[in-house]
Each structure stands twice: as structure tokens, then as C-alpha cells.
């Protein structure tokens, strides 16, 4: 023991050594980088014991377990994160998809990959998810005999998801080209027609978008998505009387499909039927609908215009944490007393 240590010891000056969750987490990361998997798991589990409510710790443990080949246990942890801790950690779906692929459970892998794409269309792992789906397409069947048609359907779904992602990113021309090609291959694929109309409208080709939507309704009477799009198109073009007529029809519809119900809530919010939108969103919330960025932003706008200011701020803060610039702007304006009611819109 050196002189300084002796002096500190005699004076009773003991420097506390705090071993908290973060300490063990960093130790786990350190051993993981050194490829010492067993030690990494040991320290990560210790970190979780001390800080069990941190979803990042759980996700890191699941990643280490996957590297070890314990895919089932890894997925159990990821499912727990999504179900019990943070339903907005959509990357868990992507990691589960990879684990299921390693286990040879290709249908489950596809399901998880689609879940990721649907909930996070502009996410970090979008391209990786699409690549995984393409790989799964070839892995599932080598002979292309009895299930050739099924494979074609799967590939079509991949193409559809890819084109829809282009709309979310603002790449409208790419989306238009891809949906047009899909329609050429499958003329009665109404979902592609509807998405093409949406891309056309956002690209400024308003009449073409309207014509496409009318065509869908002529050939597929009662197409719910087409009616929602047409309502929004009319409103954005200033044809509010026509939009409100359609909206009155939509208020009488209760879709069974949960995604259609969110589309209905979005449509009401866009045309400023905030009470109706808020009602649908609260029902979806009770059913634990995934809190995507669009859901959070829509909920915030609808709640704000229904007088639920604190609730609106809560959902805008959630959206801002996920990187939503519009939500950040609204919160900043509100904090500075500059927020104007007429500027709070969902579009």
C-alpha cells in the first residue's frame, strides 16, 4: 500500500465503488466486443437485475443470445419488450424476423418483417427487412411447383411494401412507377390502385389521382380505402362540401379490420372531423394498437382540437422522441406561446 493509500485508509476516506445497472451493462458490452459471449450474458443479466425496466438492456441481451444461437430465448425477450415495456421499439420485430429465419420458421419470419415495415415505414432497418423478405421468398421453395403461385404473391407483397415506403419517404415518382408496374402485372390489385392514387395526388397530379380513385370505385363498389382517399382529396382541393358529404357516410361505417379503422381516424383528422377521429383513436388505443409515428401525431392533433391539451402534448412528445420534426415544431411553438390553433393539422 503506497503512502497516499495508507493516508486515505487511516483517515477513513473510502471512495465508494458503485456497481449499478449501467456499470454491469457496460461490462457486458465490453465482453461482447471481445467475443466473450458467456461473460457478456452474465453481466447483461446482472444489469437487468438492477435495472429491469430498461428495454435497451433487454434488447442487448437478446442480441447476444442470438449470436450464441439461442434464438428462441432471444425472441422471448424481444416479445416481452414489445408487449410489456415499450410497444414503439419496432426494431424488435426486425430482430425477431431474423431469429425466426435462423430457426427455419419462414412464415413467422415474414410476419415479423411485415410488422416492422407496417409500423416503421421509414425505419433504420427498412431496406434490411425488404432484403430479408426477398431472401425468405427464395428459401421457402426451391422447386416452384405447387407453391409457385404462393411465391408470386409473397413477392408482390414485398414490392407493395417497398413502393409504399417510397411514398412515406416522399419519393413519389419512384412509388408511381412501381405501383404502375404492379397494376400492369395485376390489373385488379385495388390496393395498388389506391396507393398509386395517393402517390399521384401527393406528387401534384390531382386529376389523375381522382380519375384513378373513381376507376377503383366503379370496378370495386364500396372500396373503403378509395372512399377515404377521395374524401381527403376533395378536402385538400377545397371541395369541402363534397368531402363532408362523404365523411357523413364514413361516420356510419365501423370497419372490422384494425388498419382500416386507423385509416378512418386519419381521414377524419385530415378533414378536421376531430371529435370523430379522437373517438376512433381512443378505441384503437384500448385495443393496444401499435403506436406508430403516424398514430402518435394523429392522436396529438385530434386530442388538441378536442381540448385534451395535456394528452396532446404527451403524444407529441412521444412522436418527437421518435424523430418527428412536425411534433418537435409544435412543442417548441407551444412552449414559446406561438402555437396557433389553425396551424395544428394532420397532413
Amino acid at each position: 500500500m503506497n503512502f497516499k493509500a495508507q493516508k486515505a485508509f487511516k483517515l477513513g476516506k473510502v471512495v465508494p465503488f458503485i456497481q449499478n445497472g449501467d456499470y454491469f451493462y457496460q461490462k457486458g458490452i465490453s465482453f461482447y466486443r471481445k467475443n466473450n459471449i458467456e461473460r457478456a450474458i452474465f453481466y447483461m443479466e446482472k444489469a437487468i437485475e438492477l435495472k429491469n425496466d430498461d428495454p435497451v438492456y433487454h434488447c442487448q441481451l437478446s442480441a447476444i443470445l442470438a449470436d450464441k444461437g439461442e434464438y428462441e430465448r432471444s425472441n422471448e425477450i424481444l416479445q416481452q419488450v414489445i408487449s410489456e415495456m415499450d410497444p414503439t421499439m419496432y426494431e424488435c420485430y426486425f430482430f425477431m424476423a431474423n431469429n425466426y429465419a435462423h430457426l427455419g420458421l419462414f412464415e413467422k419470419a415474414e410476419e415479423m418483417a411485415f410488422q416492422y415495415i407496417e409500423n416503421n415505414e421509414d425505419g433504420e432497418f427498412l431496406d434490411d427487412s425488404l432484403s430479408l423478405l426477398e431472401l425468405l421468398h427464395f428459401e421457402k421453395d426451391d422447386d416452384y411447383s405447387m407453391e409457385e403461385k404462393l411465391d408470386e404473391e409473397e413477392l408482390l407483397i414485398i414490392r407493395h411494401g417497398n413502393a409504399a415506403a417510397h411514398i412515406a419517404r416522399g419519393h413519389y415518382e419512384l412509388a408511381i412507377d412501381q405501383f404502375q408496374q404492379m397494376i400492369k402485372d395485376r390489373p385488379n390489385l385495388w390496393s395498388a390502385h389506391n396507393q398509386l392514387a395517393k402517390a399521384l395526388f401527393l406528387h401534384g397530379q390531382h386529376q389523375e389521382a381522382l380519375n384513378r380513385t373513381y376507376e377503383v370505385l366503379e370496378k370495386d363498389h364500396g372500396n373503403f380505402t378509395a372512399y377515404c382517399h377521395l374524401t381527403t382529396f376533395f378536402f385538400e382541393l377545397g371541395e369541402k362540401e363534397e368531402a363532408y358529404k362523404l365523411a357523413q357516410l364514413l361516420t356510419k361505417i365501423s370497419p372490422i379490420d384494425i388498419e382500416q379503422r386507423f385509416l378512418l381516424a386519419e381521414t377524419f383528422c385530415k378533414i378536421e372531423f376531430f371529435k370523430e377521429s379522437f373517438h376512433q383513436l381512443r378505441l384503437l388505443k384500448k385495443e393496444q394498437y401499435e403506436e406508430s409515428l403516424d398514430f402518435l401525431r394523429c392522436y396529438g392533433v385530434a386530442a388538441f382540437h378536442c381540448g385534451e391539451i395535456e394528452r396532446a402534448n404527451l403524444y407529441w412528445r412521444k412522436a418527437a422522441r421518435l424523430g418527428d420534426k412536425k411534433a418537435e415544431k409544435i412543442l417548441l411553438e407551444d412552449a414559446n406561446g406561438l402555437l396557433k390553433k389553425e396551424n395544428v393539422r394532420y397532413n
Side-chain angles (χ1 to χ4, degrees):
M1 184 179 295
N2 61 34
F3 174 77
K4 288 184 179 179
Q6 285 180 329
K7 185 176 181 182
F9 180 77
K10 289 177 181 178
L11 295 174
K13 293 181 180 179
V14 179
V15 179
F17 180 58
I18 302 173
Q19 294 183 330
N20 55 19
D22 291 337
Y23 167 80
F24 287 112
Y25 175 81
Q26 293 301 327
K27 289 279 286 185
I29 293 294
S30 178
F31 278 108
Y32 182 47
R33 289 171 177 165
K34 296 174 184 176
N35 205 32
N36 191 333
I37 301 298
E38 294 299 334
R39 295 294 287 173
I41 291 173
F42 172 80
Y43 282 109
M44 204 59 66
E45 288 177 338
K46 289 289 292 182
I48 289 171
E49 284 179 17
L50 295 171
K51 199 174 180 183
N52 188 51
D53 61 348
D54 193 323
V56 174
Y57 286 14
H58 290 266
C59 286
Q60 187 60 60
L61 175 59
S62 76
I64 298 171
L65 290 168
D67 274 2
K68 189 185 176 186
E70 293 188 24
Y71 303 114
E72 292 179 343
R73 186 182 168 199
S74 175
N75 270 1
E76 287 176 4
I77 293 171
L78 292 168
Q79 186 59 61
Q80 181 186 6
V81 171
I82 284 287
S83 301
E84 301 176 15
M85 304 181 72
D86 187 354
T88 67
M89 290 191 73
Y90 304 125
E91 58 267 32
C92 290
Y93 291 123
F94 172 71
F95 299 140
M96 283 192 283
N98 277 280
N99 287 343
Y100 279 127
H102 282 291
L103 290 167
L105 301 173
F106 299 135
E107 290 186 3
K108 289 294 293 181
E110 284 184 347
E111 179 185 342
M112 292 298 104
F114 284 133
Q115 281 271 27
Y116 176 78
I117 293 169
E118 290 171 5
N119 286 288
N120 203 14
E121 292 181 343
D122 200 23
E124 179 183 356
F125 301 107
L126 175 63
D127 291 336
D128 292 323
S129 295
L130 293 170
S131 297
L132 176 61
L133 286 169
E134 290 178 342
L135 178 63
L136 291 170
H137 165 72
F138 291 109
E139 285 289 335
K140 284 183 64 177
D141 285 294
D142 293 326
D143 54 13
Y144 290 93
S145 56
M146 292 181 66
E147 295 190 276
E148 185 175 358
K149 185 176 180 180
L150 178 62
D151 286 340
E152 291 174 357
E153 293 294 325
E154 291 169 350
L155 186 57
L156 187 65
I157 292 171
I158 295 168
R159 291 170 62 195
H160 196 287
N162 195 11
H166 284 313
I167 295 179
R169 292 171 172 176
H171 302 160
Y172 305 129
E173 291 185 3
L174 285 172
I176 290 168
D177 289 341
Q178 291 188 16
F179 281 122
Q180 285 176 335
Q181 186 59 52
M182 268 181 269
I183 291 167
K184 183 179 178 181
D185 297 337
R186 292 284 297 275
N188 294 329
L189 186 64
W190 306 122
S191 60
H193 284 273
N194 285 325
Q195 290 301 311
L196 174 58
K198 180 179 179 180
L200 286 167
F201 192 87
L202 291 170
H203 193 49
Q205 298 173 248
H206 299 150
Q207 191 57 53
E208 291 88 340
L210 289 169
N211 291 342
R212 180 69 59 172
T213 308
Y214 290 141
E215 183 181 341
V216 172
L217 291 171
E218 285 175 8
K219 297 178 179 179
D220 185 35
H221 305 295
N223 187 291
F224 177 77
T225 301
Y227 274 116
C228 287
H229 284 179
L230 191 59
T231 303
T232 303
F233 295 163
F234 279 142
F235 185 85
E236 292 296 330
L237 292 171
E239 301 288 341
K240 294 188 177 181
E241 186 175 344
E242 294 298 320
Y244 294 154
K245 286 179 182 177
L246 289 173
Q248 290 301 328
L249 294 175
L250 292 176
T251 60
K252 300 174 183 178
I253 298 174
S254 297
I256 297 174
D257 181 78
I258 197 164
E259 294 300 332
Q260 287 188 340
R261 286 166 59 192
F262 179 56
L263 175 60
L264 182 62
E266 281 191 305
T267 302
F268 283 145
C269 202
K270 287 176 180 177
I271 66 168
E272 300 178 359
F273 274 42
F274 299 118
K275 182 179 178 181
E276 291 79 0
S277 178
F278 194 39
H279 172 69
Q280 293 294 334
L281 291 165
R282 283 186 296 177
L283 291 176
L284 288 168
K285 177 67 176 175
K286 287 181 180 178
E287 295 185 22
Q288 297 184 327
Y289 183 78
E290 296 293 344
E291 291 188 343
S292 66
L293 202 57
D294 287 334
F295 179 88
L296 294 171
R297 191 191 306 128
C298 189
Y299 204 114
V301 172
F304 175 83
H305 286 284
C306 288
E308 299 280 349
I309 309 302
E310 289 301 319
R311 191 177 299 190
N313 283 326
L314 171 65
Y315 280 85
W316 283 328
R317 284 195 293 270
K318 287 184 178 182
R321 284 198 295 270
L322 293 175
D324 184 63
K325 299 301 180 184
K326 291 182 180 179
E328 288 179 7
K329 182 181 178 182
I330 287 174
L331 289 168
L332 182 61
E333 289 179 352
D334 186 42
N336 293 324
L338 301 174
L339 187 61
K340 296 181 180 179
K341 192 172 184 180
E342 61 270 20
N343 292 335
V344 180
R345 293 194 61 204
Y346 179 73
N347 48 28

